[in-house]
Amino acid sequence: MKLEPLTEAHLDAAAEMWCRGWHDGHADVVPEGLTRLRTLENFRERLVAHRAATTLAIADGAVRGLFMLEGNELEQFYVHPDARGTGLAQWLMPQAEAALRGAGHDRVWLACSVGNARAARFYEKAGWSFVRIETFEAETSAGPFPLDIWRYEKDLS
């Protein structure tokens, strides 16, 4: 497994992986209006817009995971659905945390959709702490979409 910046060569595979993972983890817990906006093209456009902030996990030339940073936020964290249970997420999370720390952030946070219990369990096992439920403005092609999230934080100092 190695980390690589997002490039054109892996853009489509990263978008497909992220789209599939998002729908698998969120379709049953977020409003239908948001689910309709989360198309493959939407994920591709978001990756292009956040290319510099996105890091891929690559194995044997294939995209197996990604993380995206926005300031002190771990904005996105995904592993390929086929890679769940392989230890990839446990390997990738410290890489994302190291990138946040390297960018000068000691106190970091992430948003987890209310109801995404599998992701919440993973974050808690990785040392993240639930702080509160808050309304988050999810980025969409139709503009901000208000969404209740579980806010998790971690002290990296």
Side-chain angles (χ1 to χ4, degrees):
M1 193 64 56
K2 62 181 178 174
L3 296 178
E4 293 185 9
L6 175 62
T7 63
E8 189 68 32
H10 291 299
L11 181 60
D12 289 333
E16 289 171 17
M17 188 255 337
W18 186 13
C19 182
R20 184 175 163 198
W22 188 93
H23 281 275
D24 182 54
H26 294 87
D28 293 339
V29 298
V30 300
E32 185 179 330
L34 180 57
T35 301
R36 278 195 307 272
L37 292 168
R38 294 295 192 230
T39 64
L40 178 58
E41 183 57 28
N42 172 249
F43 287 101
R44 190 177 195 288
E45 290 168 357
R46 290 170 68 200
L47 283 170
V48 168
H50 299 279
R51 182 183 310 236
T54 304
T55 300
L56 304 178
I58 306 290
D60 299 322
V63 176
R64 305 307 292 162
L66 68 80
F67 63 83
M68 183 185 295
L69 309 180
E70 178 65 38
N72 72 330
E73 179 189 5
L74 177 52
E75 185 177 356
Q76 302 296 330
F77 183 87
Y78 281 86
V79 298
H80 195 287
D82 295 342
R84 291 184 186 141
T86 66
L88 172 61
Q90 290 82 357
W91 176 82
L92 189 58
M93 180 57 79
Q95 310 300 321
E97 292 171 359
L100 285 160
R101 193 178 308 104
H105 304 292
D106 290 332
R107 187 78 181 165
V108 296
W109 73 282
L110 61 82
C112 179
S113 295
V114 170
N116 190 347
R118 180 179 55 220
R121 280 190 306 274
F122 170 76
Y123 298 138
E124 290 167 5
K125 287 179 183 177
W128 292 74
S129 299
F130 171 78
V131 176
R132 66 181 168 269
I133 294 175
E134 65 183 50
T135 301
F136 176 79
E137 297 290 324
E139 174 185 356
T140 75
S141 57
F145 190 103
L147 180 69
D148 286 341
I149 57 109
W150 290 325
R151 182 183 175 108
Y152 280 84
E153 294 184 2
K154 190 170 187 178
D155 184 351
L156 300 178
S157 61

